[in-house]
Amino acid sequence: MRVAVATACANIALVKYWGKRDAALNTPAAGSLSLTLDRLRTFTTVERIDANADALVLDGVAVEGKALARITKFVDLVRGDDPARVRVTSLNTFPTAAGLASSASAFAALAVATADAFERTLTPTELSVLARRGSGSAARSVFGGWAKMNAGAAPDGSDAAAEPLEIGVELAAAIAVANAGEKDVGSTDGMELTRETSPYHAAWIETVERDLPTAIEAARAEDLDRLATIVEGNCLAMHANAMAARPGILYFGPSTLWAIDVVRKLRAAGTPVFFTIDAGPHVVAFTPPAHLDAVAEALIDHPEIATVLTSQMGEGAHAIEAMP
Ligand code: DP6
């Protein structure tokens, strides 16, 4: 074993993953499409420790309980029968668990670092499959830029992996981070409850299957108007589906509706920009880099928006020499 360090960027989905095919293998019921963002980054070290149990240090704080159990279960996938226990030390450059895709960068970095620590050589597809076992969205963060997640069909989940897409259009993101802290319903529980109880779930999965190829087509054609309609429609359909669960899941906060309105008004006035929202109140506005500052400035002016993070497209997960 060796000490292994890796970094990965989070990603934000333009066509969303919300529903699993198999919860044990963590395979998605449908594909998804995302952009990897360099501002939302995780750095992770995996090293052997002389102990009976694994340890987790997240942003400088030792963490136990459910979060550590999730890490141990993940490391077991690589460790197999090896009795070695590890310490996972992880740093995020953005707020954790506020619905800002922290599990995507976390498990993509952890996949790279764990494979490296146990001296296993994996192909990019195998790394994506491994990252998916930790978190579905992490499969996409193995790759930089545009990434497409394939739902796959193999019973063992070996083809439920992401792949990078060659798409010429550059988009940057302005992320309007709401004041709210940790979300009440995490995405794993939220999507399971939605699958079990929402009367709209089958229609949602069909919507994703239609949106995925058309979004890719619109992006390839650099047709941002068409992409805006698909991406915003897909996001609102995901939230409509979650809202229709019992009990209903509502991720929007007061600043969410305000920011949606800001984005749509900017677009109506001629700025190429569109929004998406993950499992939290934060609105992510995508726009070509030339418009980023103006979009970010328009989004700051709300009492419940703490900050607006701006990001360019990011690189794929990879090993690095040392933590920052
Ligand atoms: C709304 O990847 O966090 O961000 O596989 O259970 O860990 P698990 O779920 P996760 O869900 C992401 C949900 C989303 C949409 C997306 O990223 O596609």
Side-chain angles (χ1 to χ4, degrees), residues 77-306:
L77 296 169
V78 177
R79 173 162 51 199
D81 302 332
D82 191 325
R85 299 294 109 181
V86 298
R87 178 187 303 115
V88 172
T89 308
S90 209
L91 287 176
N92 283 324
T93 61
F94 57 98
T96 307
L100 265 183
S102 58
S103 65
S105 53
F107 282 100
L110 187 60
V112 171
T114 306
D116 210 18
F118 286 90
E119 298 179 51
R120 308 264 198 281
T121 308
L122 302 184
T123 65
T125 302
E126 288 168 338
L127 271 175
S128 181
V129 165
L130 176 61
R132 186 205 77 226
R133 299 288 298 269
S135 184
S137 52
R140 299 182 309 238
S141 274
V142 168
F143 303 102
W146 293 84
K148 175 183 177 237
M149 180 71 192
N150 296 304
D156 67 353
S158 56
D159 57 354
E163 59 179 301
L165 292 184
E166 283 301 322
I167 291 180
V169 54
E170 281 276 321
L171 290 174
I175 305 159
V177 183
N179 283 326
E182 294 236 344
K183 51 194 169 183
D184 306 333
V185 187
S187 33
T188 307
D189 294 340
M191 71 175 77
E192 271 308 278
L193 183 70
T194 306
R195 184 184 63 76
E196 284 162 5
T197 64
S198 166
Y200 303 155
H201 195 65
W204 155 249
I205 297 298
E206 284 167 27
T207 304
V208 175
E209 283 162 355
R210 273 197 310 276
D211 286 346
L212 188 55
T214 51
I216 293 169
E217 220 177 82
R220 289 220 156 103
E222 303 195 17
D223 186 343
L224 292 190
D225 271 344
R226 184 154 171 243
L227 190 60
T229 306
I230 299 165
V231 171
E232 292 186 356
N234 185 272
C235 162
L236 294 173
M238 181 199 105
H239 285 276
N241 187 27
M243 285 179 205
R246 300 287 167 89
I249 306 165
L250 187 57
Y251 289 113
F252 292 6
S255 63
T256 313
L257 293 176
W258 175 83
I260 288 174
D261 189 51
V262 167
V263 168
R264 288 193 156 170
K265 280 182 176 142
L266 282 171
R267 191 161 73 247
T271 305
V273 59
F274 55 84
F275 70 81
T276 190
I277 303 148
D278 278 349
H282 325 295
V283 170
V284 182
F286 283 105
T287 190
H291 299 279
L292 184 61
D293 288 347
V295 169
E297 213 166 292
L299 285 168
I300 190 67
D301 199 19
H302 188 280
E304 289 196 32
I305 290 180

